[in-house]
Amino acid sequence: MANADAVSRRVAAAGPRRVGTGLKLALKGVWKLFGPDADRILVTSSPAPSPGELATRNIITAVRDVNLDVREGEIFVIMGLSGSGKSTLVRCMSRLIEPTAGEIVFDGKDLLRASEREMIEIRRHRMGMVFQHFALLPHLSVLDNVAFPLDIQGVKRAARYERARQVIDLVGLAGRESHFPRELSGGQQQRVGIARSLAVEPDIWFLDEPFSALDPLIRREMQDEFLRLQTLLRKTIVFITHDFDEAVRLADRIAIMRDGVIIQIGTPEDLVTKPATPYVAEFTRDIPRAKVLTARSIMAPIEGPLIADARVSGDARIQDVAEQVMRRGTAVAVVDGRGDNIGLLTREAVLSVLLGKDIAK
Amino acid sequence: MTIAAGALPAPTWGRPWIILWCAVLAAVVLPMALAQPESPMLIYPVGWEIPFKTWISAAIKWLVEEFDLGLFTFKQLTRGIAWLLDGPLWLARAILLDGVVIPLGGERVVALPPLSWLSLTLVAACFAWRSGGGRLALLVGGCFLYLAMFGWWESAMVTLASIAIAVPFGVAGGLALGIAGYRRRRFEQAMTPVLDLMQTMPIFAYLVPILFLFGFGPVAAMIATIVFALPPMVRVTMFALRQVASELVEFGRMAGCSRHQLLWKVLMPSARPGLMVGVNQVIMLSLNMVIIASMIGAGGLGFDVLDALKRLDIGKGLEAGLSITLLAIALDRLSQSLARRSLPRRAGSQLGRSAGPLLILGVLAVPTALGTLVPALAHYPDAWRITTGPIWADLVKAINIRYFDDIDAFKNLLLLNVLVPMKRGLADIPWVAVVVAAALAGYQLGRWRLALLTGCLVLFIAVSGNWEKSMVTVYLIVVSVVLACLIGIPIGIVAAGAPAFNRVVQAVIDTLQTLPTFVYLIPVIMLFQVGDFSAIIAIVAFAVVPSIRYTVLGLTGVPAHLLEAARAHGCSRAQVLLKVRLPLAFPEIMLGINQTVMMALSMLVITALVGTRDLGQEVYIALAKADPGRGLVAGLCVAFLAMVCDRLINAAADRRRRTLGLAS
Ligand SMILES: Nc1ncnc2c1ncn2[C@@H]1O[C@H](COP(=O)(O)OP(=O)(O)OP(=O)(O)O)[C@@H](O)[C@H]1O
Ligand SMILES: [Mg+2]
């Protein structure tokens, strides 16, 4: 029940999602090759070498010619199977891994041109990252772990502890400040990881499979927690997962990666309704349609005078409004962000979405 | 069928190898049959020797006497280093043993006493209690009490003072080099062979050049100790830092750590448990070395043992040996439990935290201060002293009288039927054949690179003029290792199947590993006098540990599902052991044998003290004559023998592991 609540809360709060139009991070032609002479091969060969050619030279193509934009305030999910290059790509974004080629524009500035010192400054104040296996320092208490990034910046003890207590509160760990990481459960450890990455109020927040190491139940709880935080904080987020369910729950947009290449970028709905390749279609096959389709995409045009007395948002997912529509017996109105009626959501349409999945199975 | 067989690739162990090995055998037998006794094929001619010894001696002499580094001479540099260590060592000895006399001008002086024996015992017990509970406190306190009660306190304090200074220097040096190696692969690559060599060089071989450079005395002994204890710390540091999860390093960089912050705030604290293992090793190696370094003037317990050995004073030797052992056990357990407690716990009450240091300060100060009034606190009173020396002496005498004939008969039987023939046989093998065989084994297991390495290393031994002594060494090692394996592997097999027995075995081998090498010689000499036989027994006792440990490790490490599968197919227990567990554990057991060889070689040199005529004796003579070239070359020969064994066994184990699909 808590889940449904959280989701509807989110729908209510987000309405039409308030994703800014500003560009936060843009990748242009980014490559990352591992292997002997990997640095030179791109410079010397043109056009770009084919995957087969690279493979014969014992070079691993972790990221291949990636172009993407992350908009201000959105949750941008990168997903793909194990080994598809997700982690490498997100580490290229923060230059933890030096890309072999390409451009990474962060707030209008090319990161690859930044000096070591500038990079340290950018990472200290404007980037945060959460890791799959939490990466907590075993010798520090929860409080000190969370305050660690501030300590690195040279923030005074009292000030950094105050800030750390705030974020520990925010993630619901108040009272455990003096515990050590090994005394906490996996979910609690990841809350510490999240608190720590938020302590510096980053502009952009990278999460590399933050919930993969957790049990399914805790994972859902953490996803809700994450959405709650996001409604409060409105960060720009790059979120990595290999779980399409998770991606659909969280994402504004999803990029699907395979063998280092991004094959499609779009909203969850786009991926399901307009898969670019059979691979994407295969990937999205098992997802219940009701979880991704929005009211807007299946609404019927308004013909004649409107008789519906209930309204739903055009961006609402079918799963969240199905009960409301089915109960009513009549169609409900679909409204856009400004509250104007734009269509009708009928029982039949909802039913076919709900059943369509079941029949397909 | 024939076609199919012909189409198959030749198996690696097939016919070509048999032909090659036959060729080698021919190379052994033919020259022996045909050549004159003095043929250069048989015995390496003296005229062909390359005088490495003289060159090295001359080089070191030049270093000491003429080498000028511009601002200062090399001699001044070594003096400087000695001076740097002299101060701390003096301080440690003042605190533990000598006390300080401060002149206040004129006649008046203030004499600060050294720590009371009671203070130190209590403090050690306190630390043990805080880190490991009551039992550890009892153990550690008991060990220190033994030192006082049996009259070894002064000697033990001399040894402890050296260790107290050598360990921090060893740890700091090891950390610095390890960090540098962690940061730069190049540096690590350059360092690895040097570390290999340092760890395979026999301990004595270090003493000679250090004696030459730094003279005779406690400081020289301490330098030898630091040099000897350093390599494992370097390795452990690099290993522990590499073991830190890559995510933690990435987190550190994302938090915006500078290189310095990353090292000191993320890497080192995260690697701390691993590093503490290194610290423990440095302590144990230092203790071992300080004792051996009594030969170049370290004094202390090592000197007492050496002295007793020389005079065949059985009771004194045993007691001094026991005090070394107890000191080693106390330091080992204490440092291990401190290491285990290295992760912080939630802080207790404010009072509890500040009470600890206060308590310890009190325990240190009060008995020491009272000692000026109550002499029994300052010096353990002679009247309370216990000695068991005569009892031991009588016991050994009794054993010798009663069983002398039996022991002697057994010894002679073994000597006449196994040891002497084998020694002769090995000495008779032409050196050419050995070089070829080493290279061939290298080729078979690791192709050209290994063949070149093993061939050259063995050739060096011939060229350096140590051939005969090396063959005696090989004979001692082969006999000891075979015996150690015959004893160790069956024990390991039994222990792997019986958990209760295993616990006992593990406790025993843990204790055996804490014993300094010197200690092994004491009982052996007492019962068997000097000679090859005694040496072999001491070596076997010292080197049996890894063959047990790795056998247990390998057998218990066989995946459970394989055992289940075997049982499901109806294997009996014996069949499971022979057909599944042993073959799968084979690589581990090989590693155990490898370790056994290494330990046997390091013990071998010590056994020169009981009169073997091998490379150990050569080093020992060089030490007595202060001839650094001779000592180093003989040391290199031991190290090269070790390397040949190590590389060959490792290559074989690797190969085996690959065929089993266990290697990545
Ligand atoms: N340092 C490296 N050296 C060589 N190859 C690497 C290195 N790091 C990653 N790779 C390779 O790059 C490819 C992409 O790896 P990456 O870790 O980015 O995948 P991923 O999508 O994050 O997978 P997972 O879901 O398992 O985390 C893999 O084939 C991997 O083996
Ligand atoms: Mg990954």
Side-chain angles (χ1 to χ4, degrees):
Chain A
M1 230 42 240
N3 291 337
D5 278 357
V7 172
S8 44
R9 232 184 297 134
R10 175 176 187 226
V11 171
R17 294 180 193 179
R18 258 181 268 124
V19 173
T21 45
L23 206 59
K24 197 74 191 173
L25 183 74
L27 271 62
K28 295 177 191 163
V30 171
W31 288 72
K32 180 65 200 181
L33 307 177
F34 290 109
D37 264 344
D39 287 342
R40 251 188 301 142
I41 189 158
L42 284 182
V43 185
T44 51
S45 60
S46 110
S50 72
E53 191 182 332
L54 288 170
T56 55
R57 294 219 209 168
N58 264 337
I59 289 179
I60 297 169
T61 316
V63 172
R64 188 182 165 87
D65 194 19
V66 164
N67 295 286
L68 59 83
D69 298 331
V70 180
R71 298 173 200 147
E72 196 149 359
E74 82 170 325
I75 303 182
F76 187 88
V77 171
I78 300 173
M79 65 161 311
L81 298 179
S82 191
S84 55
K86 310 178 296 287
S87 297
T88 310
L89 181 60
V90 80
R91 279 161 178 72
C92 284
M93 291 176 182
S94 58
R95 255 183 96 192
L96 279 179
I97 293 179
E98 200 67 36
T100 313
E103 226 177 282
I104 293 168
V105 184
F106 177 54
D107 275 343
K109 191 164 174 246
D110 187 359
L111 277 191
L112 299 185
R113 298 235 172 80
S115 68
E116 178 83 27
R117 241 333 334 136
E118 286 171 317
M119 257 344 278
I120 285 184
E121 281 310 306
I122 290 174
R123 292 199 193 116
R124 278 186 182 177
H125 299 286
R126 296 167 57 193
M127 290 178 167
M129 184 154 176
V130 180
F131 296 86
Q132 181 174 1
H133 300 288
F134 324 136
L136 301 182
L137 292 166
H139 64 291
L140 296 182
S141 66
V142 167
L143 186 65
D144 280 316
N145 256 300
V146 174
F148 184 88
L150 299 168
D151 179 25
I152 289 300
Q153 297 173 14
V155 175
K156 289 274 175 304
R157 198 184 165 89
R160 66 174 192 256
Y161 279 173
E162 192 192 327
R163 171 69 190 151
R165 288 217 166 79
Q166 279 172 10
V167 271
I168 289 173
D169 251 6
L170 190 68
V171 300
L173 276 183
R176 305 208 181 249
E177 287 87 348
S178 61
H179 284 57
F180 283 90
R182 73 201 124 87
E183 300 168 326
L184 301 177
S185 71
Q188 288 171 330
Q189 291 192 34
Q190 195 56 298
R191 282 170 199 263
V192 178
I194 288 174
R196 181 177 68 180
S197 65
L198 290 175
V200 294
E201 301 184 67
D203 293 352
I204 189 162
W205 201 19
F206 300 109
L207 298 99
D208 185 3
E209 304 202 26
F211 309 140
S212 302
L214 305 176
D215 297 336
L217 275 180
I218 314 265
R219 195 181 309 165
R220 279 198 78 88
E221 191 187 314
M222 293 296 289
Q223 287 165 1
D224 295 335
E225 180 74 22
F226 171 76
L227 288 173
R228 182 182 69 83
L229 284 175
Q230 174 64 352
T231 51
L232 287 175
L233 304 172
R234 291 272 145 216
K235 300 275 175 215
T236 305
I237 292 171
V238 178
F239 189 109
I240 304 227
T241 177
H242 59 240
D243 176 2
F244 198 61
D245 245 347
E246 185 167 84
V248 165
R249 285 198 76 200
L250 307 180
D252 291 311
R253 287 191 305 148
I254 300 177
I256 297 212
M257 234 180 145
R258 180 193 194 182
D259 296 337
V261 182
I262 292 212
I263 26 187
Q264 188 173 4
I265 300 178
T267 62
E269 195 169 15
D270 286 343
L271 296 183
V272 171
T273 53
K274 290 170 274 185
T277 67
Y279 181 75
V280 178
E282 183 61 23
F283 222 103
T284 57
R285 204 174 58 125
D286 283 339
I287 264 298
R289 293 316 186 241
K291 278 192 181 175
V292 281
L293 296 185
T294 55
R296 189 193 302 268
S297 69
I298 60 162
M299 66 192 180
I302 301 172
E303 286 159 358
L306 190 67
I307 36 169
D309 51 354
R311 337 160 76 198
V312 295
S313 156
D315 291 319
R317 302 240 161 110
I318 300 304
Q319 173 181 265
D320 302 326
V321 296
E323 202 182 334
Q324 191 185 353
V325 177
M326 299 308 282
R327 280 251 175 84
R328 231 156 237 291
T330 57
V332 297
V334 179
V335 295
D336 65 6
R338 276 168 291 155
D340 296 340
N341 295 326
I342 50 174
L344 270 181
L345 191 57
T346 64
R347 287 181 72 177
E348 290 71 33
V350 170
L351 200 59
S352 73
V353 169
L354 289 176
L355 289 179
K357 175 61 203 153
D358 292 340
I359 292 161
K361 249 189 177 172
Chain B
M1 264 340 272
T2 41
I3 298 170
L8 282 174
T12 3
W13 296 83
R15 212 174 296 140
W17 289 113
I18 298 176
I19 296 172
L20 267 174
W21 279 105
C22 283
V24 174
L25 264 179
V28 178
V29 178
L30 281 183
M32 284 169 81
L34 300 179
Q36 288 90 6
E38 261 96 76
S39 155
M41 293 287 279
L42 286 182
I43 297 161
Y44 193 84
V46 181
W48 294 7
E49 280 171 20
I50 300 176
F52 292 116
K53 308 175 200 182
T54 11
W55 293 350
I56 293 177
S57 291
I60 292 185
K61 200 162 175 215
W62 173 80
L63 261 183
V64 174
E65 287 174 3
E66 320 210 348
F67 186 48
D68 200 329
L69 289 158
L71 287 177
F72 43 79
T73 64
F74 189 75
K75 188 156 198 166
Q76 283 166 331
L77 178 71
T78 56
R79 288 272 155 80
I81 294 173
W83 177 80
L84 206 69
L85 288 171
D86 203 27
L89 185 62
W90 175 85
L91 188 68
R93 284 177 78 138
I95 292 174
L96 292 173
L97 186 67
D98 299 335
V100 194
V101 177
I102 305 167
L104 292 177
E107 297 275 288
R108 290 180 307 150
V109 291
V110 174
L112 290 179
L115 283 184
S116 155
W117 58 272
L118 189 61
S119 295
L120 202 63
T121 306
L122 287 177
V123 164
C126 270
F127 270 111
W129 184 60
R130 282 181 50 153
S131 66
R135 281 175 65 174
L136 188 69
L138 228 61
L139 177 76
V140 171
C143 289
F144 275 83
L145 209 58
Y146 169 90
L147 297 176
M149 283 170 58
F150 283 73
W152 299 104
W153 189 259
E154 275 79 23
S155 295
M157 288 308 109
V158 172
T159 301
L160 197 60
S162 299
I163 290 179
I165 303 307
V167 168
F169 275 95
V171 168
L175 277 179
L177 289 174
I179 290 168
Y182 168 77
R183 282 189 169 158
R184 283 175 220 284
R185 281 269 168 195
R186 280 272 174 73
F187 187 65
E188 187 196 351
Q189 280 161 2
M191 214 161 40
T192 306
V194 180
L195 292 178
D196 280 346
L197 198 67
M198 282 173 82
Q199 286 192 298
T200 40
M201 278 282 257
I203 306 182
F204 279 6
Y206 286 100
L207 297 184
V208 197
I210 284 175
L211 185 64
F212 214 78
L213 294 178
F214 296 95
F216 188 90
V219 171
M222 209 162 59
I223 291 169
T225 306
I226 294 171
V227 171
F228 178 69
L230 198 76
M233 189 69 206
V234 179
R235 278 184 209 271
V236 168
T237 305
M238 288 192 291
F239 182 75
L241 290 178
R242 297 239 154 83
Q243 285 296 98
V244 173
S246 60
E247 271 195 351
L248 266 176
V249 182
E250 284 174 342
F251 157 68
R253 293 178 56 203
M254 277 311 283
C257 288
S258 62
R259 261 166 63 104
H260 189 77
Q261 287 173 322
L262 192 65
L263 181 66
W264 293 106
K265 297 205 161 193
V266 177
L267 285 168
M268 295 295 269
S270 312
R272 188 165 159 178
L275 294 176
M276 290 306 283
V277 173
V279 173
N280 176 264
Q281 283 210 31
V282 171
I283 294 177
M284 296 319 286
L285 285 176
S286 298
L287 188 60
N288 193 5
M289 187 64 182
V290 156
I291 283 158
I292 286 159
S294 63
M295 292 183 163
I296 60 169
L301 291 172
F303 176 80
D304 294 334
V305 174
L306 198 63
D307 188 48
L309 278 185
K310 276 187 191 147
R311 292 191 287 114
L312 284 180
D313 182 342
I314 294 162
K316 194 177 164 206
L318 270 181
E319 274 192 358
L322 188 60
S323 51
I324 291 177
T325 308
L326 291 179
L327 190 61
I329 290 178
L331 291 179
D332 179 54
R333 300 297 134 83
L334 195 56
S335 63
Q336 273 191 22
S337 94
L338 285 174
R340 235 173 283 132
R341 275 290 155 90
S342 68
L343 280 179
R345 283 165 298 168
R346 242 172 297 158
S349 66
Q350 203 64 34
L351 187 74
R353 246 190 305 172
S354 55
L358 268 183
L359 178 75
I360 283 172
L361 216 66
V363 172
L364 281 178
V366 172
T368 305
L370 282 181
T372 49
L373 304 174
V374 189
L377 285 177
H379 289 283
Y380 188 85
D382 286 344
W384 301 356
R385 219 166 250 183
I386 309 173
T387 177
T388 51
I391 304 175
W392 295 114
D394 290 346
L395 183 70
V396 171
K397 207 183 278 169
I399 293 178
N400 274 341
I401 291 171
R402 187 133 165 43
Y403 297 105
F404 180 78
D405 293 338
D406 297 335
I407 293 177
D408 212 44
F410 176 65
K411 191 165 113 182
N412 287 335
L413 188 80
L414 210 64
L415 272 174
L416 289 179
N417 293 313
V418 183
L419 301 186
V420 175
M422 188 166 168
K423 195 172 178 177
R424 293 252 169 78
L426 268 174
D428 284 345
I429 298 178
W431 65 273
V432 181
V434 180
V435 175
V436 174
L440 192 61
Y443 182 77
Q444 189 171 355
L445 292 168
R447 300 294 122 156
W448 286 114
R449 281 181 65 144
L450 193 58
L452 202 68
L453 183 76
T454 51
C456 286
L457 291 182
V458 176
L459 191 64
F460 172 89
I461 294 174
V463 169
S464 71
N466 281 325
W467 189 256
E468 240 172 273
K469 288 189 168 169
S470 299
M471 282 303 114
V472 178
T473 306
V474 170
Y475 131 80
L476 282 173
I477 292 298
V478 169
V479 174
S480 314
V481 169
V482 168
L483 279 178
C485 291
L486 284 181
I487 298 169
I489 294 177
I491 292 182
I493 291 175
V494 177
F501 179 59
N502 190 21
R503 270 195 297 280
V504 177
V505 169
Q506 294 296 332
V508 171
I509 57 182
D510 279 347
T511 312
L512 279 180
Q513 279 209 316
T514 8
L515 299 189
T517 36
F518 244 40
V519 172
Y520 286 82
L521 293 181
I522 301 168
V524 171
I525 285 204
M526 314 221 144
L527 295 175
F528 307 108
Q529 280 80 43
V530 296
D532 286 2
F533 185 73
S534 304
I536 287 173
I537 290 190
I539 296 175
V540 171
F542 180 67
V544 75
V545 172
S547 70
I548 300 177
R549 201 186 284 281
Y550 281 80
T551 306
V552 175
L553 215 66
L555 286 177
T556 48
V558 174
H561 64 266
L562 287 181
L563 298 182
E564 259 167 31
R567 252 177 255 123
H569 283 98
C571 289
S572 67
R573 271 181 72 114
Q575 281 173 324
V576 172
L577 180 66
L578 285 176
K579 309 217 154 161
V580 182
R581 296 180 71 182
L582 276 178
L584 282 173
F586 185 73
E588 296 281 336
I589 296 177
M590 291 280 268
L591 286 184
I593 296 175
N594 190 14
Q595 285 287 311
T596 300
V597 175
M598 298 301 126
M599 288 182 67
L601 275 166
S602 69
M603 185 68 188
L604 179 98
V605 180
I606 314 270
T607 60
L609 288 174
V610 300
T612 53
R613 297 185 175 281
D614 56 3
L615 287 171
Q617 187 207 26
E618 181 77 4
V619 180
Y620 195 45
I621 294 174
L623 186 60
K625 296 194 170 169
D627 181 346
R630 191 168 175 181
L632 276 178
V633 170
L636 278 179
C637 287
V638 178
F640 287 176
L641 279 180
M643 271 188 210
V644 171
C645 288
D646 178 65
R647 297 300 132 85
L648 288 179
I649 294 178
N650 265 331
D654 265 359
R655 212 183 150 106
R656 187 76 205 148
R657 222 174 292 140
R658 240 173 292 136
T659 34
L660 290 177
L662 297 172
S664 48

